[in-house]
Amino acid sequence: MEKNKVAVTLGPGNIVIQDMPYPKLQKGGAILRNKLCGVCGTDKHTYRGETTQFAGTNLEYTIQFPLHQGHEAFSIIEEIDEEGSKTLSYDHEELHVGDRVTFSPVIVCGSCFWCRHASWYTWCEGEGRGVYGNNGGIINGDHAPDEIYGAFSRFMTIRPGSYLFKLPDELPDELACLVEIMTVTYVFDTAMNTNSFHMDGLPFGATVVIQGAGPIGLAHVIKARMLGVKTIIVTDKSEYKLKLAKEFGADYTLNVTTTEEKDRIDFVKSRTRGLGADVVVECTGVPAVVSEGLEYLRKCGTYLEPGMFAEVGNSSINMHKVCSKNLRIIGMTENALPGYRATMDMMVKHLNDFPWLKYFTHRFPQDQINEAVKFSMTDDCNKVLIEPWK
């Protein structure tokens, strides 16, 4: 049996590679061989010691160490039992050894209130809930040495209650690592379906401002261009990232270190006949940017918040302005499960419309994982990939 080189996060800023047993195949489960895995924003938060997640909800918890990280994966099914081959695919496709897959990070119980009433989202609050690559894979639980729940490792365990997604043949291997991220942009679909007031949501010919040009921000640039958004404006402090945003379809970029807030607000209004943007998307993970983002919006504008997954502090908001402009603020956490297949199909449809592989700017072998995570936090990269098998 091949050795399993496992990435184990012992604490903030400390990931080690350990030899551990090959995972045990569980009834209704599978074993994945992980080929590539992206460094997610949550991985960076944990590495920095920002370990509180889902604050203010029944799921609020603090990351416990040690844990296995990594969930933006391109993987191959190494083993799968008969039950798992029929139940693990969210799209009800039969799965087999050798299939190329990615997965939803959240393991659901299938029976709690949220699993029954909002099964299209991974809002599970049941006892069987788990999260791959986060808190050791099982919230408030323990696992055996042959249960590996992070994709920075060579082999990992897939438990019953998980959702695998078979990759289309046309989708390159690397883009599997982008599927989960692009599924986060399902928040745009939410905006499109929001029409309580006239001019609500994301109308055809809209102007969108995206705050932050990192991996999540760039994914929203791609999705906005796919959806036919007329004007895309991106803000960031990194010229490297702003240049990349232009290559993926941003019409205008604003460097927040060389411009003033008033000038940025005036610029947005100058490109919208003095009205303001239809939609603003926060992708920085920095609470201080929210108040400025709300200033970009027109009356009945929509502010989308998919960027602050960890507890990093409060935002200062003048709620009178939210009221007086009839603004709508929409939070987005976890993944909309129906978005995975739609996302992969949309990516295949647009394979020739974006320089997709430029999204992945750097690769590191597994034994350089600390350097990789540190580098992913700099201004000189976009998505950083870990190669467990290099």
Side-chain angles (χ1 to χ4, degrees), residues 33 42 65 100 118 231 271 281 284 288 297 311 336 342 348 371:
R33 178 190 293 260
T42 55
F65 299 99
R100 301 161 63 242
T231 304
R271 295 300 182 273
V281 192
T284 69
L297 286 168
E311 171 58 69
V348 169
E371 293 87 339

Side-chain angles (χ1 to χ4, degrees), residues 295-326:
E295 294 289 344
Y296 295 151
L297 286 168
R298 60 161 168 79
K299 289 182 180 178
C300 287
T302 302
Y303 193 82
L304 304 178
E305 178 51 81
M308 280 188 237
F309 194 77
E311 171 58 69
V312 290
N314 297 327
S315 301
S316 178
I317 299 174
N318 184 336
M319 291 305 292
H320 169 67
K321 292 184 178 181
V322 175
C323 176
S324 61
K325 290 172 69 176
N326 280 56

Side-chain angles (χ1 to χ4, degrees), residues 5-21:
K5 296 284 186 181
V6 177
V8 182
T9 304
L10 299 178
N14 185 15
I15 306 176
V16 298
I17 306 302
Q18 298 181 350
D19 287 332
M20 298 186 74

